[in-house]
């Protein structure tokens, strides 16, 4: 109903209903601001509260069971519709969403244009005056469209969003929606600003109007500042700029604070409250991430692999849970205090209670410096000196983030397609499956095909990170595993091929304290985050009421921009005061639970025991993934041939296809999935396409 209200808001009958609703609620302590907030932002918060209640009431196992496919069938989220285009691979559900947004924009523009023409025609004005009046009215209407787009803009970028977790959309997928909405929102706001600029220029008062900052009504100068900050973010977020100058993109994107603060000053509190719900949820998430990232985590070990990839093993609290397809944001303070980089977790949550692992490929300046720092520590023979070198790598972590449910366990049949370092999350999947089989936990997959394309054969050393004999020596009767690797830039095995999987030294970092990742984020913990969101929301409403009762009303404040500033201040204060109190209690609860575990010496001993077998990587004679691999040189995967073979051998079943790699690889696999699903031949599998790739 909330979406329908926004969609049909341009219609006269909806506006009439909205005006009557405002009249009935305007006498409350919150006034018109509270009414607008309740109508447009309230539903988002209510849906969030219902999501919290549902996720808490539903046990994790029951939630996962509802995600399993009962029989082969079509699913909107996993059926690729558009493959080649500016949006990348688009599923049927995403296509429907894009079409609805386009229809809303076009419908709104047409309706508003007709209404503006009717209004202008009521006045007997010269054509010149009609033109700039029409432009100003169009700018006003287009600005309202931008506010409704803004109401959705921050929802996908909220990493721990309960709404996204309920419908099981992980952050790496939602990032795309934020990008699309960002482009759309800035196009609308830019058009909104241009309409006014042209109208003011036609009247010869452009500079005067742009510098205007009036108390009653819209203040123009804050709008100019807000739009300027938005344009800077927009321009630097375009793909060519973001790819070549990522740091410029990252730093200018922090102007979002300037953007929405000055937007509140521009339109005032009651108009800003249209989009305030999504912004408030984003700020809640941002403050929680800030609190989590203040804590540094111990590095248990680090390894520089022959392929130029660095493996870091990070200490985590025992109660921090995640799924095999999760990822973290990592900051190394010796390299940069501002840069955060996302990495897929390469270890299974069942692999160890006190650690998780990530594989980091050296691709840029930041990763090169990280490898150099790790190499210096790894190569240092003097243990005492190694202890002194330990501060070279001080890690802070945000996350882990990911799917609410381990969706790789939804399918009995899996095809995992990776390009280069894209194998990292699939190592976590395979390790998770092996651990589940060995522990006799529920594990649906029984047919797994891994297709991995790499440039050089030295990258195959990544497969030796999993020693199957030590995890699940009797997996062969319960899991049919096939691994096909394709070396694209070599036509034959190198002479040193036998040395690819030789033992490699792992550097252990001395653990002098019990620093672990903060447990403020996890994919299963719902109670404390729920309390945090609800208490902050109640605090926000309380602060708004107190501000109105003890400050706005007694002093007779009517300035729009100042009330907008107070509105934003109440949002920030509620998060810091009420949300901060919950974070403190949450942290104390986590420390108490940690205190109930073994002491630090036992914890360190546990970590060392877990990694004792990993002091060196397995050699070529042990049962590793590498020893189960068939390798082809000088060619790329032929997905038509691969999917045809799978179709013939697996029959009429659901097949989960997960891709992690460059866009060209995603497109090739998506095309094959779409082609075979459209044909829909009898006794053929139904391929469900899932992407695990994303860019910031």
């Amino acid at each position: 109903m909330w979406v329908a209200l926004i969609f049909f808001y341009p219609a006269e009958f909806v506006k009439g209903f909205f005006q009557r609703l405002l009249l009935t609620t305007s006498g409350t302590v919150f006034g018109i601001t509270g009414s607008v907030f309740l109508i447009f932002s309230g539903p988002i918060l209510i849906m969030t509260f219902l999501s919290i209640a549902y996720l808490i009431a539903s046990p994790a196992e029951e939630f996962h069971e509802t995600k399993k496919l009962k029989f082969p069938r079509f699913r909107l989220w996993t059926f690729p519709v558009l493959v080649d285009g500016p949006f990348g691979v688009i599923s049927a559900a995403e296509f429907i969403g894009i079409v609805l947004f386009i229809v809303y924009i076009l419908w709104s523009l047409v309706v508003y244009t007709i209404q503006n023409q009717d209004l202008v025609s009521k006045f007997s004005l010269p054509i010149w005056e009609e033109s700039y009046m029409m432009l100003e009215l169009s700018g006003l209407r287009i600005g309202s469209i931008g506010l409704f787009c803004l109401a959705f803009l921050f929802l996908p970028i909220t990493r721990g969003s309960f709404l996204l977790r309920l419908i099981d959309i992980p952050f790496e997928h939602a990032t795309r929606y934020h990008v699309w909405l960002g482009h759309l929102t800035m196009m609308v706001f830019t058009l909104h600003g241009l309409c006014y600029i042209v109208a003011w220029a036609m009247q010869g008062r452009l500079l005067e109007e742009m510098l205007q900052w009036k108390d009653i009504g819209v203040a123009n100068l804050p709008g100019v500042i807000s739009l300027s900050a938005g344009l800077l973010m927009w321009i630097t977020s375009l793909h060519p700029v973001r790819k070549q100058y990522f740091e410029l993109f990252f730093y200018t994107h922090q102007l979002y604070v300037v953007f929405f603060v000055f937007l509140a000053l521009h339109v005032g509190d009651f108009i800003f409250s249209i989009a305030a719900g999504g912004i408030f949820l984003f700020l809640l998430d941002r403050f929680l991430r800030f609190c989590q990232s203040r804590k540094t985590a111990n590095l248990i070990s680090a390894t520089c692999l022959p392929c130029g990839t660095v493996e870091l093993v990070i200490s985590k609290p025992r109660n921090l849970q995640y799924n095999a397809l999760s990822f973290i944001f990592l900051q190394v303070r010796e390299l940069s205090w501002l840069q955060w980089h996302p990495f897929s977790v390469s270890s299974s949550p069942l692999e160890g209670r006190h650690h998780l692992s990530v594989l980091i490929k050296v691709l840029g300046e930041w990763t090169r410096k990280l490898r150099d720092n790790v190499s210096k520590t790894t190569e240092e023979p003097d243990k005492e000196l190694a202890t002194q070198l330990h501060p070279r790598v001080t890690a802070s972590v945000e996350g882990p983030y990911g799917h609410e449910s381990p969706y790789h366990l939804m399918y009995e049949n899996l095809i995992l397609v990776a390009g280069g370092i894209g194998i990292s999350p699939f190592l976590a999947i395979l390790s998770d499956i092996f651990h589940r089989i060995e522990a006799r936990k529920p594990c649906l997959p029984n047919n797994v095909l891994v297709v991995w394309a790499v440039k050089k054969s030295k990258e195959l050393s990544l497969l030796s990170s999993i020693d199957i004999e030590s995890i699940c020596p009797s997996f062969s009767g319960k899991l049919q595993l096939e691994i096909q690797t394709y070396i694209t830039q070599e036509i034959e095995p190198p002479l040193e091929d036998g040395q690819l999987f030789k033992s490699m030294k792992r550097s252990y970092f001395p653990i002098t304290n019990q620093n672990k990742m903060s447990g403020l984020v996890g994919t299963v913990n719902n109670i404390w985050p729920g309390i945090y969101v609800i208490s902050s929301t109640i605090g926000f409403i309380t602060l708004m009421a107190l501000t109105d009762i003890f400050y706005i009303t007694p002093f007779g404040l009517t300035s729009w921009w100042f009330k907008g500033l107070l509105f934003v201040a109440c949002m920030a204060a509620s998060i810091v005061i009420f949300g901060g109190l919950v974070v403190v209690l949450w942290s104390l609860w986590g420390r108490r639970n940690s205190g109930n575990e073994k002491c630090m010496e036992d914890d360190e001993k546990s970590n060392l025991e877990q990694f004792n077998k990993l002091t060196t990587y397995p050699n070529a004679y042990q049962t590793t993934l590498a020893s189960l691999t068939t390798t082809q040189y000088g060619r790329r995967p032929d997905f038509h041939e691969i999917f045809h073979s799978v179709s013939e051998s697996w029959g009429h079943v659901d097949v989960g296809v997960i891709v992690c790699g460059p866009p060209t690889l995603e497109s090739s696999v998506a095309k094959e999935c779409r082609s075979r699903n459209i044909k829909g031949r009898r006794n053929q599998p139904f391929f469900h396409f899932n992407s695990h790739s994303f860019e910031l």
Side-chain angles (χ1 to χ4, degrees):
M1 185 175 178
W2 171 65
V3 175
L5 174 65
I6 293 176
F7 191 90
F8 292 106
Y9 180 76
E12 291 292 349
F13 73 93
V14 176
K15 284 187 177 180
F17 168 77
F18 177 66
Q19 292 296 333
R20 290 193 298 272
L21 191 59
L22 286 182
L23 289 175
T24 58
T25 58
S26 60
T28 64
V29 66
F30 300 102
I32 189 174
T33 302
S35 302
V36 176
F37 184 85
L38 179 63
I39 295 169
F40 292 108
S41 293
I44 297 178
L45 299 177
I46 292 171
M47 286 186 288
T48 301
F49 297 161
L50 294 176
S51 300
I52 293 170
Y54 179 81
L55 292 173
I56 291 175
S58 300
E61 293 78 9
E62 180 182 327
F63 185 83
H64 298 163
E65 286 292 329
T66 61
K67 298 294 180 180
K68 292 182 180 178
L69 301 175
K70 303 299 181 183
F71 52 87
R73 61 188 176 93
F74 170 86
R75 279 200 166 189
L76 290 173
W77 284 107
T78 59
F79 184 84
V81 175
L82 301 178
V83 176
D84 295 318
F87 298 109
V89 179
I90 303 297
S91 69
E94 292 168 340
F95 180 74
I96 293 172
I98 292 172
V99 170
L100 287 176
F101 264 98
I102 293 174
V103 170
Y104 165 70
I105 297 296
L106 296 177
W107 140 264
S108 299
L109 290 175
V110 170
V111 172
Y112 282 143
T113 302
I114 295 173
Q115 292 175 356
N116 292 341
Q117 288 177 341
D118 291 340
L119 181 61
V120 171
S121 64
K122 293 179 181 179
F123 303 92
S124 298
L125 299 173
I127 296 178
W128 184 260
E129 292 186 13
E130 279 189 3
S131 298
Y132 64 69
M133 185 177 180
M134 189 70 181
L135 281 170
E136 288 188 352
L137 287 173
S138 298
L140 176 66
R141 307 295 194 184
I142 292 171
S144 67
I145 296 174
L147 282 173
F148 288 127
C149 293
L150 188 64
F152 293 92
L153 177 62
F154 287 94
L155 294 178
I157 207 68
T158 305
R159 297 178 188 172
S161 169
F162 280 97
L163 291 172
L164 296 180
R165 289 173 62 185
L166 179 67
I167 55 181
D168 210 14
I169 298 180
F171 174 73
E172 66 267 24
H173 290 187
T175 302
R176 298 204 307 166
Y177 311 151
H178 173 75
V179 172
W180 301 343
L181 284 168
H183 290 314
L184 177 62
T185 303
M186 286 313 305
M187 287 174 61
V188 172
F189 276 139
T190 302
L191 185 59
H192 159 75
L194 285 175
C195 286
Y196 278 105
I197 288 173
V198 173
W200 295 335
M202 290 172 63
Q203 299 173 65
R205 49 192 182 95
L206 176 60
L207 186 60
E208 175 189 348
E209 288 288 347
M210 289 181 66
L211 297 178
Q212 183 192 74
W213 193 320
K214 58 186 177 182
D215 289 333
I216 306 300
V218 172
N220 293 338
L221 182 56
V224 173
I225 297 173
S226 177
L227 182 59
S228 300
L231 288 173
L232 277 174
M233 289 190 291
W234 188 24
I235 293 170
T236 55
S237 68
L238 297 175
H239 184 72
V241 180
R242 187 178 73 248
K243 186 176 180 180
Q244 295 295 326
Y245 307 99
F246 180 82
E247 289 192 22
L248 178 63
F249 153 75
F250 180 82
Y251 297 141
T252 55
H253 234 62
Q254 310 312 309
L255 291 173
Y256 69 83
V257 178
V258 176
F259 174 76
F260 71 70
V261 168
F262 279 89
L263 177 63
L265 300 179
H266 171 55
V267 298
D269 55 339
F270 72 93
I271 297 178
F272 180 74
S273 61
I274 292 175
I279 295 174
F280 182 68
L281 292 176
F282 168 75
L283 292 178
L284 281 169
D285 180 76
R286 187 66 190 87
F287 180 72
L288 194 63
R289 286 160 43 200
F290 173 80
C291 294
Q292 185 192 28
S293 63
R294 294 308 91 197
K295 186 175 182 180
T296 57
N298 285 328
L299 287 182
I300 299 174
S301 70
T303 307
C304 288
L305 305 179
C307 57
T309 299
V310 176
E311 183 191 45
L312 299 182
V313 181
I314 305 170
S315 179
K316 78 172 187 69
R318 180 177 181 177
N319 60 351
L320 179 63
Q321 300 183 51
Y322 65 97
N323 292 320
L325 283 170
S326 297
F327 67 96
I328 63 172
F329 280 79
L330 183 67
Q331 178 206 60
V332 177
R333 297 185 178 182
E334 287 73 22
L335 306 183
S336 172
W337 278 81
L338 295 176
Q339 291 189 48
W340 291 84
H341 295 264
F343 300 102
S344 296
V345 176
S346 60
S347 59
S348 163
L350 301 176
E351 194 169 306
R353 296 174 297 178
H354 302 282
H355 73 274
L356 59 78
S357 306
V358 292
L359 292 171
I360 302 173
K361 176 125 179 154
V362 177
L363 295 173
E365 185 69 16
W366 187 89
T367 51
R368 184 188 62 78
K369 289 180 180 177
L370 175 65
R371 180 197 59 191
D372 293 344
N373 282 10
V374 170
S375 297
K376 289 176 183 177
T377 307
T378 305
E379 294 169 1
E380 179 56 53
D382 189 343
K383 290 186 178 180
E384 230 175 89
L385 189 53
T387 303
Q388 297 172 5
L389 290 173
H390 172 56
R392 288 178 179 223
V393 184
T394 305
S396 294
V397 179
E398 287 184 8
Y401 305 104
H403 280 272
E404 178 66 24
S405 58
Y407 74 99
H408 61 282
L409 300 178
M410 290 167 47
Y411 306 99
E412 291 186 12
N413 310 278
L414 281 173
I415 299 179
L416 309 177
V417 183
I421 195 59
I423 195 65
S424 178
F426 298 154
L427 295 177
I429 287 180
L430 294 176
S431 177
D432 192 49
I433 292 174
F434 289 137
H435 278 93
R436 285 180 176 273
I437 293 174
E438 182 65 18
R440 298 183 180 179
K441 290 180 175 288
C443 185
L444 199 59
N446 53 43
N447 290 310
V448 179
L449 170 63
V450 181
V451 180
W452 186 25
V454 295
K455 294 180 179 179
K456 302 289 184 179
S457 56
K458 63 181 180 180
E459 296 184 51
L460 298 182
S461 59
L462 294 176
L463 294 176
S464 294
S465 61
I466 298 180
D467 181 4
I468 302 176
E469 286 184 359
S470 64
I471 300 175
C472 183
S474 59
F475 80 96
S476 57
K478 301 173 184 177
L479 176 68
Q480 299 299 318
L481 175 62
E482 182 183 358
I483 303 176
Q484 300 177 7
T485 59
Y486 296 82
I487 315 298
T488 60
Q489 295 185 2
E490 294 176 358
I491 59 175
E492 60 183 12
L495 295 177
E496 68 275 11
D497 187 51
Q499 304 294 321
L500 287 176
F501 310 116
K502 65 182 179 181
S503 297
M504 289 166 284
K505 290 184 178 180
R506 179 185 294 270
S507 172
Y508 285 95
F509 291 101
I511 301 177
T512 56
N513 49 44
Q514 207 173 5
N515 286 341
K516 299 180 180 180
M517 293 169 49
S518 170
L520 294 180
V521 176
T523 57
V524 181
N525 187 2
N526 296 312
I527 296 178
W528 277 109
I531 297 173
Y532 168 72
V533 172
I534 294 172
S535 64
S536 298
T537 306
I538 295 173
F540 172 53
I541 296 171
T542 303
L543 288 179
M544 282 294 297
L546 293 175
T547 303
D548 187 86
I549 294 171
F550 295 104
Y551 187 60
I552 295 177
T553 302
F555 290 93
L557 296 178
T558 57
S559 175
W560 284 28
W561 70 266
F562 189 64
K563 292 173 72 175
L565 180 62
L566 291 176
F567 188 90
V568 173
C570 288
M571 289 176 63
S574 65
I575 295 170
V576 174
I577 297 172
F578 293 87
L581 178 61
V582 174
V583 169
V584 170
L585 296 175
W586 187 356
S587 300
L588 293 175
W589 174 82
R591 290 177 187 174
R592 189 188 67 178
N593 281 2
S594 298
N596 291 335
E597 297 177 11
K598 295 181 179 180
C599 63
M600 186 183 77
E601 290 79 10
D602 292 338
D603 192 44
E604 183 176 348
K605 181 181 178 182
S606 173
N607 280 328
L608 292 175
E609 286 176 354
Q610 290 172 17
F611 284 92
N612 201 22
K613 65 179 185 297
L614 295 175
T615 306
T616 60
Y617 267 63
N619 58 49
Y621 300 101
Q622 288 178 282
T623 306
T624 64
L625 294 179
S627 63
L628 302 175
T629 300
T630 58
T631 303
Q632 300 186 48
Y633 289 84
R635 58 170 297 197
R636 299 180 182 275
D638 184 343
F639 291 110
H640 179 77
E641 177 186 329
I642 292 170
F643 278 66
H644 176 74
S645 175
V646 166
S647 299
E648 293 297 322
S649 58
W650 289 0
H652 185 56
V653 294
D654 272 310
V655 178
V657 181
I658 309 177
V659 184
C660 186
T664 52
L665 182 68
E666 280 192 15
S667 299
S668 300
V669 176
K671 283 180 183 177
E672 192 61 33
C673 290
R674 182 182 63 181
S675 173
R676 293 192 172 272
N677 290 341
I678 290 175
K679 291 177 181 177
R681 294 177 181 174
R682 184 177 297 180
N683 297 326
Q684 296 291 303
F686 199 96
F687 296 97
H688 296 270
F689 178 85
N690 299 272
S691 171
H692 191 67
S693 304
F694 77 105
E695 289 185 353
L696 287 181

